[in-house]
Amino acid sequence: MSWGLGGSKSKTASSNTTAAANGHSEKPIGLKAFVEPSNAVLDIVFLHGLGGHWRETWRASEAEEPWPKELLPKVIENARILSFGYDSHVTSWKNVVSRNTVTDHAANFLRDLSNRRDKDDTNERPLIFVAHSLGGLVCADALVKSNSHPDEHMKKILARTKGIIFMGTPHSGTEALAEWAERLAMSMALIKQTNSNILNVLRSDSEVLFRLQTEFHTMIRDRVKKSLAAIEIVCFFEELPLDNFGFVVPRESADLAGYPTSGLHYNHTQMTKFPDAKDPGFDAVSTEIWRWSKPFQPKKEGQSSAQTRVAEKTPHVTSNNPPELMNNSDLTPKIDDSNKQFVSDQRQASSQSIPFFPHHKNQVFVGCEKILTAIDRGLENGHKVVLHGIGGVGKTEIAVEYCYKFWKDNCSVPIFWLPCDSSDRLELALKEVAQRLELPGYDDIETDVAQLVCHHLQNWRNHSWLMVLDNADDVELFRDEKSESADGGDCRETVHPLANFVAHMKSWFSHRSLTVDRLPPTDALAMFRAKLPDDLKHDKLLELQSLEILEYLPLCIVQAAAYIDQCDLSLSRYLEELKDSEILLEHLNEDYHPLRKRFDTPRSVLKSWRLSFEKIQKRYEQAGNLLSVMGFLDRQNIAYDLLQGTVETRHQLNQALGILSGFCLIVAEPSKDSFRMHRLVQLATRFWLSGKKSRYQALALKLITSRFLSLSTISTEQRRLIPHAKLVATYRLDSRDMKLTRSELQRCIAAYDLHTGHYDSAASYYQDAYDECLKLVGSTEKITLHCGGLLGVIRRYQGRFDDACAIQQSVLKSKESIYGLQDIDTIDTVSALADVFERNGRFDDAQALTERALDVRKRVLGDKDPKTLESFMHLALLYRRRTRYAEAKNLYLDSLTVMEETLGRANELTIDCVDAYSSLLREWGQYDESVKMCNRVVDDRMILYGEEHPKTLIARNNLALSYWRSKSLAKAEEILRDVCASHERCGRQDHIDALQACSNLSIILRDENKLEAAVIFARKAVTGRERRFGPDHRLTISSTAELALTLTNKDDFEEGEKLARRVIAIRKQRLGAEHTLTLNTLSTLGTIMQRTGRFNEASDIFQSVLAARINVLGVEHPSTKKSVKQLESLERTKLAKHHDG
């Protein structure tokens, strides 16, 4: 028996026996049928993955039949459902394994499927594919082959394809899957054969895989260009690691650029095995299939579409209404025609939960009909509806209930729920919205995701959406000042673009303010009774007395009912305890008054909470400790796996969570893998534990730090941990160990902020951690040096080169003293310092350090190590900066050869090398070759990232520059206008790359003599860069030089000369008098001299520029020839002036 990642590890001898007994023992190769109804109008075809089986891959261990046979026909009744089996094992104990490649399997699949459809005359049927793991590559290759096949019945496979679901398919390769398969093969190598053809294609550097993805994307794009029907594609990735192995196909490989991606809460082997129709994975996958098959389903009489329901329910609302900022749950809709794009994200209206929604539906929600009706009317009239009221009154629950009512009638309309109680949580939610909307560049660190989403929604014509801004009154979270937190920690929240987002979203609509008051006694009584145990004897008088003390607040009513249920109390006994709690709080009134005043906390919250908390502390110690720790974490998204660090066993954790949930002190998120606390419950917990605050703050700090350190790369879990981490990092604890732990967490947060582009925040955390390490362990400890080095990197990103240089030099001196001159860690700092010098124009110093780093890395790591290759590229860059083009070219080509051999063409470092090489060719005047290299970079990045990703746009910008240099001005202008438009569509107008595109476009427009437009774009680039980098930054100076030349061409000599002289002075100092950029601006100044009649000065300048260009570039270089023509022009002008005189 053999098993693989596309199959099931739980497949045993007994399960095989069962399969045989049920008649499934036939050879598992070829096309098999799950169901073949007589009324079939479409085909759904399944392909298993590595080591999988046509049937068992799709069957859960507890199910008798695979879900495509048992469950899917109940969703889609008129589909023939097939499964293709092929020998995808890389090894076998007993049998000789197939030597077939992915291409061979794809050819066999295409042949079998097309022949079957041809024989039974079903060639015109629509096709939907569901492919797991390796099966996704087989499916993609089969469609590529169909596209180019000469036989008509083969061609129709692609022509009739309507959709593909890729489940854990390694589109860009996966070292993990290849490593696992290779490990298994090696462990058996003595007694059987292996299929290395499949092993090799799985790797990220596989040429075969790169070819397949290139051809597949090209095929898809060609269909769009030819106005053929688009193929729907959805990718699913595994959210859980495989035991003792980890993630098999990571999300980045399972993603297919330009198409929606969703997670399934399973590991790689289990993500295809759905036990029943209630399984969330089955719901997600089957809904996609149902949506694609919907056009082929018979329409039921009288049935109206979701679009019709939206149009009937909600009139057109524009975004031009004036707004107003109000409190708490802020529902902001924009409704017009139906939104087709988001049907793919929605579930059928009969489903129990809204897609991507963080709240369950409250099954016993009572009352509030008037306010729900008022919300509906307010939204229909084009208002923003603002709910405000005291804490615990049920604003969020009302918003949740309205969303479910709205979604029931408008299931195709996306609903966005944004928590505004913390900047980090809001940013995380906005990134998820941007990803859900498939907005290009949402994951780019330079993208302002708030601006991106805001811009898209404001311009999202003919689409409907509903947005909820929860806790939108907490504007203090976005202040630019440090203040004491509620529990005594020091707050480090700063002004954030998200504050502008909240205000901007509210500015789109006039608002209707609705006050949410305490429940009327009748509604409160109905809620109380709905929550009380069924067997409890009702007593209206006792119930109303309890409700009066609880102030008719929903939060307190829910907690009270839960307390009665958990403690098995009678109503009279509960009322006695509640009155005792009220008396105690009268004595504590002085203590809790500041808390109540600051956070609008009703007394009843503390009354009901105290009863529950004291009972838990007495009876359930572990649950009490767990609640205490949770009280000092962020109150939302408290992950189950995180909490496991507070107890010894999962059983203990499950018991404790069950108790807290039973008392309604915490609520499980819809995903069931995380929990949240009501804000007032958390505040009450902190208030009651004020005497033990330090203990539980320390536990929370250690818990978060330990979890953060266990995550080696930026991941979804890290993003969810960040709000917790930034909160606990504010806790000031006295012990040395806790200070070191806090410093360690600060470094983790800083690394995350650095990765996500929040440089100022990262610098602040690194600075604090660095200062703490200096105090606690001294300047020579490894953690201090590591922290200092990263702080230097951030200062370089911020453009603070002097600070970066001082820090890196200090770190380097210490490392050389401690570790030695040849240590790799020391050399990493050498390389970082060289980078700072290069960016600051200190090329001699940078080159000396780079050569030192390269020498050590070659000896210690080898010529083919990525770090060594990076040093080669950096040295080539420095040669470029010094116009030593021939030497730079040799380095680039040598590095590129090694990268293609060791890393593969699709590797980002390889693509970066090609990009740098194309820039060298452009600077050197080899324009045709530069265009060729640029096109390669564009194609590779388009495949990896999609058409509007920032990295792809950078490549297209560089391609435009190469066309410009080769005098293809119209082509260059067309590309750059499209690049600028893409940045505009994505809300990235002030992005560093958008400003570069503006600058380049101004140059091309100038060369086309479109001077008015050129000046506009040039000024935009200058002002944008001044604002972002300062007036003396090299990019600002570059834009200033171009503006000076454009003004000169426009005969605005006064401003042009002023700008040119400033640029020349700075460039001479930084780059040298003979650098090509310095010479270019000198040439501009010479032109100004000539055209303003200062011929002698112009002649001196042109002569010096010509001599320098001959020396640096050679006689044949275009710039040198241009200098000759300038001198000739000057002589003709002088002669003409002489004759006129």
Side-chain angles (χ1 to χ4, degrees):
M1 178 194 71
S2 63
W3 62 275
L5 293 174
S8 171
K9 187 173 181 178
S10 61
K11 179 180 172 185
T12 63
S14 60
S15 67
N16 287 336
T17 303
T18 303
N22 290 333
H24 301 295
S25 58
E26 75 272 18
K27 189 175 182 180
I29 301 296
L31 209 57
K32 313 290 182 181
F34 281 130
V35 293
E36 291 190 87
S38 58
N39 64 336
V41 296
L42 74 153
D43 286 344
I44 303 173
V45 186
F46 287 76
L47 292 92
H48 63 75
L50 186 69
H53 185 276
W54 74 270
R55 181 178 184 276
E56 296 304 309
T57 287
W58 314 101
R59 186 180 71 83
S61 58
E62 60 267 43
E64 291 186 3
E65 296 289 350
W67 63 268
K69 180 177 181 179
E70 180 69 21
L71 306 178
L72 190 57
K74 297 175 183 178
V75 178
I76 301 146
E77 299 175 355
N78 57 350
R80 174 170 64 178
I81 304 177
L82 307 172
S83 183
F84 180 68
Y86 60 103
D87 187 355
S88 59
H89 294 92
V90 294
T91 186
S92 174
W93 284 103
K94 299 178 180 179
N95 303 319
V96 175
V97 296
S98 166
R99 308 302 294 175
N100 280 0
T101 63
V102 168
T103 297
D104 296 329
H105 290 312
N108 293 339
F109 172 54
L110 178 63
R111 178 201 64 210
D112 288 3
L113 182 59
S114 59
N115 286 347
R116 180 158 187 159
R117 286 162 59 91
D118 196 36
K119 285 178 182 178
D120 56 19
D121 198 25
T122 57
N123 274 329
E124 298 302 323
R125 275 188 190 172
L127 270 165
I128 294 173
F129 296 102
V130 181
H132 177 232
S133 191
L134 180 70
L137 303 182
V138 173
C139 179
D141 204 11
L143 293 177
V144 169
K145 293 181 185 304
S146 172
N147 186 45
S148 58
H149 206 283
D151 294 344
E152 189 62 27
H153 72 292
M154 296 279 197
K155 280 184 174 294
K156 283 194 174 180
I157 297 299
L158 173 64
R160 301 302 293 157
T161 297
K162 299 302 176 187
I164 310 171
I165 290 178
F166 290 112
M167 304 179 71
T169 296
H171 297 291
S172 55
T174 166
E175 302 301 330
L177 184 54
E179 178 189 342
W180 176 87
E182 191 172 51
R183 191 186 302 170
L184 181 62
M186 290 174 64
S187 70
M188 302 178 181
L190 295 178
I191 54 175
K192 89 282 108 251
Q193 298 180 5
T194 62
N195 186 351
S196 58
N197 292 323
I198 288 181
L199 284 178
N200 293 335
V201 79
L202 296 174
R203 300 194 180 280
S204 58
D205 59 354
S206 166
E207 288 289 343
V208 175
L209 182 61
F210 185 78
R211 185 270 309 165
L212 170 57
Q213 291 303 308
T214 302
E215 292 180 354
F216 183 73
H217 278 273
T218 301
M219 177 191 73
I220 296 295
R221 286 201 303 271
D222 286 346
R223 287 180 63 82
V224 175
K225 290 178 182 178
K226 294 175 182 177
S227 299
L228 299 174
I231 296 175
E232 299 276 3
I233 296 176
V234 171
C235 301
F236 288 97
F237 62 91
E238 63 215 55
E239 291 185 342
L240 298 179
L242 198 64
D243 289 346
N244 301 318
F245 188 81
F247 288 97
V248 177
V249 178
R251 175 173 179 170
E252 55 268 24
S253 184
D255 281 354
L256 196 60
Y259 296 99
T261 303
S262 298
L264 294 177
H265 199 64
Y266 312 95
N267 63 33
H268 189 76
T269 65
Q270 297 301 313
M271 69 187 302
T272 60
K273 304 175 187 302
F274 309 136
D276 54 55
K278 295 180 180 179
D279 188 273
F282 174 75
D283 184 43
V285 174
S286 65
T287 299
E288 298 296 344
I289 301 173
W290 172 83
R291 179 174 67 84
W292 298 340
S293 67
K294 193 175 179 182
F296 315 110
Q297 304 295 330
K299 289 191 177 180
K300 296 179 182 178
E301 209 171 308
Q303 185 181 32
S304 62
S305 66
Q307 296 134 317
T308 305
R309 289 197 300 273
V310 174
E312 289 172 351
K313 178 174 176 64
T314 353
H316 178 80
V317 177
T318 67
S319 61
N320 298 321
N321 300 321
E324 187 174 344
L325 179 66
M326 295 298 290
N327 289 341
N328 281 21
S329 297
D330 198 4
L331 286 78
T332 312
K334 182 180 180 183
I335 309 292
D336 32 48
D337 294 337
S338 170
N339 162 25
K340 296 179 181 178
Q341 177 179 345
F342 266 89
V343 176
S344 64
D345 290 336
Q346 308 307 311
R347 304 293 178 255
Q348 300 175 31
S350 60
S351 181
Q352 292 300 307
S353 61
I354 302 173
F356 306 101
F357 199 66
H359 296 277
H360 292 290
K361 178 173 173 55
N362 186 348
Q363 300 299 334
V364 291
F365 186 90
V366 297
C368 303
E369 291 300 328
K370 289 184 179 180
I371 200 164
L372 289 170
T373 301
I375 293 172
D376 213 27
R377 288 175 180 169
L379 296 182
E380 285 184 351
N381 293 330
H383 288 76
K384 170 178 84 257
V385 175
V386 179
L387 305 181
H388 63 90
I390 63 171
V393 80
K395 299 179 293 295
T396 296
E397 285 301 317
I398 291 172
V400 169
E401 180 67 14
Y402 179 80
C403 286
Y404 275 96
K405 283 180 174 289
F406 175 86
W407 182 70
K408 183 177 180 181
D409 294 327
N410 305 280
C411 63
S412 66
V413 177
I415 299 176
F416 307 113
W417 185 285
L418 300 180
C420 300
D421 52 352
S422 101
S423 59
D424 293 298
R425 194 166 299 290
L426 177 56
E427 181 174 24
L428 177 61
L430 283 168
K431 284 187 176 180
E432 290 173 351
V433 169
Q435 181 181 8
R436 182 180 168 194
L437 289 164
E438 302 170 38
L439 303 184
Y442 75 88
D443 55 345
D444 180 48
I445 63 175
E446 295 288 349
T447 297
D448 182 344
V449 70
Q451 185 184 57
L452 180 67
V453 171
C454 207
H455 183 270
H456 179 83
L457 294 181
Q458 197 167 20
N459 293 280
W460 205 12
R461 307 302 180 191
N462 301 321
H463 289 87
S464 310
W465 48 270
L466 175 69
M467 179 174 287
V468 181
L469 304 178
D470 194 21
N471 287 310
D473 60 334
D474 289 343
V475 293
E476 290 188 358
L477 291 172
F478 304 104
R479 291 186 305 178
D480 187 17
E481 63 181 36
K482 289 191 175 183
S483 59
E484 187 74 0
S485 64
D487 46 38
D490 58 323
C491 178
R492 58 162 65 247
E493 298 286 353
T494 58
V495 164
H496 199 285
L498 301 178
N500 295 330
F501 169 82
V502 174
H504 191 55
M505 290 302 298
K506 293 181 171 196
S507 72
W508 288 1
F509 303 93
S510 58
H511 83 271
R512 182 173 184 180
S513 180
L514 300 175
T515 300
V516 181
D517 207 347
R518 293 171 171 83
L519 290 174
T522 52
D523 285 350
L525 183 60
M527 174 183 282
F528 198 24
R529 287 182 171 177
K531 295 286 187 180
L532 286 171
D534 294 336
D535 58 352
L536 185 71
K537 184 179 178 180
H538 293 298
D539 185 320
K540 187 174 182 179
L541 179 61
L542 294 177
E543 288 167 337
L544 289 175
Q545 287 179 346
S546 300
L547 290 171
E548 185 177 357
I549 296 175
L550 296 172
E551 301 181 56
Y552 304 105
L553 289 176
L555 175 65
C556 300
I557 293 170
V558 170
Q559 286 188 356
Y563 181 78
I564 292 170
D565 186 21
Q566 291 293 312
C567 298
D568 196 20
L569 297 178
S570 65
L571 285 169
S572 59
R573 178 71 181 276
Y574 173 73
L575 186 58
E576 289 174 5
E577 292 192 19
L578 189 61
K579 289 179 178 178
D580 290 342
S581 178
E582 185 177 27
I583 293 171
L584 176 62
L585 286 176
E586 289 294 337
H587 294 294
L588 296 175
N589 187 58
E590 294 281 333
D591 294 327
Y592 80 82
H593 179 70
L595 177 73
R596 182 181 173 193
K597 181 179 180 181
R598 181 173 180 182
F599 294 102
D600 198 18
T601 308
R603 289 167 52 91
S604 53
V605 173
L606 293 176
K607 297 172 193 174
S608 60
W609 177 89
R610 177 183 169 274
L611 289 177
S612 298
F613 187 62
E614 286 192 340
K615 188 70 67 176
I616 290 171
Q617 280 191 318
K618 290 177 182 178
R619 289 190 181 181
Y620 313 106
E621 182 181 356
Q622 286 181 332
N625 288 334
L626 181 62
L627 180 64
S628 300
V629 173
M630 293 174 74
F632 289 95
L633 299 174
D634 187 88
R635 67 183 184 86
Q636 299 186 64
N637 248 327
I638 307 175
Y640 176 89
D641 290 342
L642 173 66
L643 295 174
Q644 195 172 345
T646 63
V647 294
E648 293 181 0
T649 67
R650 282 184 178 270
H651 176 69
Q652 291 174 338
L653 178 59
N654 291 336
Q655 274 193 327
L657 290 172
I659 291 165
L660 297 180
S661 296
F663 278 94
C664 289
L665 296 174
I666 62 172
V667 179
E669 303 282 6
S671 63
K672 304 293 185 184
D673 61 358
S674 60
F675 301 85
R676 67 176 182 273
M677 302 174 70
H678 192 283
R679 180 170 61 110
L680 299 185
V681 172
Q682 187 181 59
L683 289 171
T685 303
R686 292 180 179 179
F687 163 71
W688 212 258
L689 291 170
S690 57
K692 302 176 182 177
K693 180 179 70 174
S694 296
R695 174 189 172 188
Y696 290 109
Q697 283 184 342
L699 288 173
L701 177 59
K702 287 192 287 188
L703 183 70
I704 295 297
T705 305
S706 174
R707 189 64 181 173
F708 228 113
L709 290 173
S710 70
L711 305 171
S712 58
T713 58
I714 300 297
S715 61
T716 301
E717 185 173 358
Q718 272 202 10
R719 287 193 288 272
R720 290 174 179 170
L721 274 177
I722 275 294
H724 301 291
K726 290 192 174 182
L727 173 63
V728 301
T730 65
Y731 299 154
R732 295 284 185 178
L733 300 168
D734 295 333
S735 76
R736 184 177 184 274
D737 287 345
M738 284 298 98
K739 288 180 180 179
L740 285 173
T741 300
R742 180 174 180 266
S743 171
E744 201 164 25
L745 180 60
Q746 286 176 321
R747 296 198 300 275
C748 293
I749 297 171
Y752 175 88
D753 281 340
L754 175 61
H755 180 85
T756 55
H758 297 141
Y759 300 137
D760 291 343
S761 176
S764 177
Y765 280 106
Y766 269 134
Q767 188 69 63
D768 284 356
Y770 185 53
D771 293 343
E772 196 72 81
C773 287
L774 285 173
K775 293 176 186 175
L776 296 174
V777 298
S779 61
T780 60
E781 284 295 318
K782 189 170 185 177
I783 57 172
T784 309
L785 296 174
H786 177 70
C787 193
L790 290 173
L791 179 59
V793 170
I794 295 176
R795 295 305 186 203
R796 187 255 291 170
Y797 280 135
Q798 292 177 306
R800 295 170 57 176
F801 298 122
D802 291 342
D803 290 346
C805 182
I807 294 170
Q808 295 289 18
Q809 285 178 322
S810 174
V811 170
L812 179 58
K813 183 177 179 181
S814 296
K815 283 187 176 181
E816 287 176 336
S817 173
I818 299 168
Y819 307 125
L821 300 178
Q822 308 298 310
D823 182 78
I824 287 297
D825 198 28
T826 303
I827 293 303
D828 287 344
T829 304
V830 169
S831 183
L833 182 57
D835 190 31
V836 175
F837 285 155
E838 183 273 322
R839 290 171 183 267
N840 208 21
R842 295 173 58 178
F843 299 130
D844 289 338
D845 295 333
Q847 183 171 331
L849 291 177
T850 300
E851 288 173 344
R852 173 184 166 186
L854 178 60
D855 179 63
V856 175
R857 285 174 170 173
K858 282 166 62 178
R859 283 189 288 102
V860 177
L861 303 176
D863 290 347
K864 297 181 179 181
D865 186 86
K867 283 191 174 182
T868 307
L869 294 171
E870 286 178 357
S871 289
F872 275 119
M873 286 180 62
H874 198 241
L875 183 58
L877 173 64
L878 290 165
Y879 286 161
R880 278 175 53 198
R881 296 282 187 253
R882 308 295 292 274
T883 65
R884 294 164 60 179
Y885 295 130
E887 294 167 275
K889 178 180 180 179
N890 290 335
L891 277 179
Y892 279 132
L893 289 178
D894 290 345
S895 300
L896 186 57
T897 300
V898 175
M899 289 175 187
E900 289 177 333
E901 289 176 356
T902 59
L903 304 176
R905 169 172 170 161
N907 184 273
E908 182 59 32
L909 186 60
T910 307
I911 297 173
D912 287 344
C913 186
V914 177
D915 192 26
Y917 178 50
S918 71
S919 298
L920 166 69
L921 294 170
R922 186 167 55 249
E923 291 176 18
W924 206 5
Q926 299 179 23
Y927 304 128
D928 291 342
E929 185 66 17
S930 178
V931 167
K932 179 182 176 182
M933 292 293 104
C934 284
N935 270 310
R936 171 178 165 175
V937 175
V938 169
D939 290 343
D940 290 352
R941 285 187 173 165
M942 199 172 290
I943 290 169
L944 284 177
Y945 304 112
E947 292 189 11
E948 290 195 323
H949 191 279
K951 289 189 176 182
T952 307
L953 294 179
I954 290 172
R956 297 182 66 205
N957 173 85
N958 293 342
L959 175 61
L961 292 180
S962 294
Y963 275 122
W964 164 63
R965 288 293 190 184
S966 63
K967 303 302 181 183
S968 300
L969 300 183
K971 183 68 174 176
E973 181 186 350
E974 177 188 355
I975 294 172
L976 276 178
R977 284 193 180 276
D978 189 48
V979 168
C980 290
S982 292
H983 283 299
E984 182 82 19
R985 282 193 299 272
C986 298
R988 295 196 300 261
Q989 301 93 319
D990 292 329
H991 190 286
I992 181 174
D993 301 329
L995 296 173
Q996 182 64 62
C998 281
S999 179
N1000 293 340
L1001 181 55
S1002 74
I1003 296 170
I1004 292 163
L1005 291 169
R1006 180 183 67 221
D1007 286 0
E1008 292 180 300
N1009 206 34
K1010 301 175 182 178
L1011 298 178
E1012 293 291 342
V1015 168
I1016 291 172
F1017 280 100
R1019 289 195 189 280
K1020 183 176 181 180
V1022 171
T1023 55
R1025 284 173 166 173
E1026 281 182 344
R1027 190 166 54 247
R1028 189 177 183 96
F1029 303 112
D1032 294 335
H1033 191 274
R1034 63 184 180 85
L1035 292 177
T1036 310
I1037 293 301
S1038 175
S1039 292
T1040 304
E1042 298 302 337
L1043 177 58
L1045 180 55
T1046 304
L1047 291 170
T1048 301
N1049 289 3
K1050 196 171 173 286
D1051 295 338
D1052 189 346
F1053 301 124
E1054 183 178 353
E1055 185 181 2
E1057 180 178 350
K1058 179 181 177 182
L1059 294 177
R1061 289 189 181 279
R1062 178 169 177 269
V1063 171
I1064 290 167
I1066 293 175
R1067 282 183 166 170
K1068 278 185 175 180
Q1069 178 185 0
R1070 292 182 181 172
L1071 306 178
E1074 291 195 343
H1075 192 278
T1076 54
L1077 294 178
T1078 309
L1079 298 176
N1080 290 344
T1081 313
L1082 271 170
S1083 180
T1084 299
L1085 183 61
T1087 300
I1088 294 172
M1089 299 296 102
Q1090 177 182 342
R1091 295 177 65 180
T1092 53
R1094 289 173 280 180
F1095 300 132
N1096 290 337
E1097 293 174 69
S1099 180
D1100 291 343
I1101 292 172
F1102 286 150
Q1103 289 282 2
S1104 65
V1105 170
L1106 176 60
R1109 283 177 169 168
I1110 291 173
N1111 182 47
V1112 174
L1113 302 175
V1115 176
E1116 298 300 320
H1117 192 276
S1119 295
T1120 307
K1121 293 179 179 180
K1122 181 180 178 181
S1123 288
V1124 173
K1125 291 181 179 179
Q1126 284 178 320
L1127 277 169
E1128 292 173 348
S1129 172
L1130 176 62
E1131 291 304 317
R1132 288 195 298 270
T1133 302
K1134 289 168 63 178
L1135 185 60
K1137 192 76 173 176
H1138 177 73
H1139 287 313
D1140 290 343

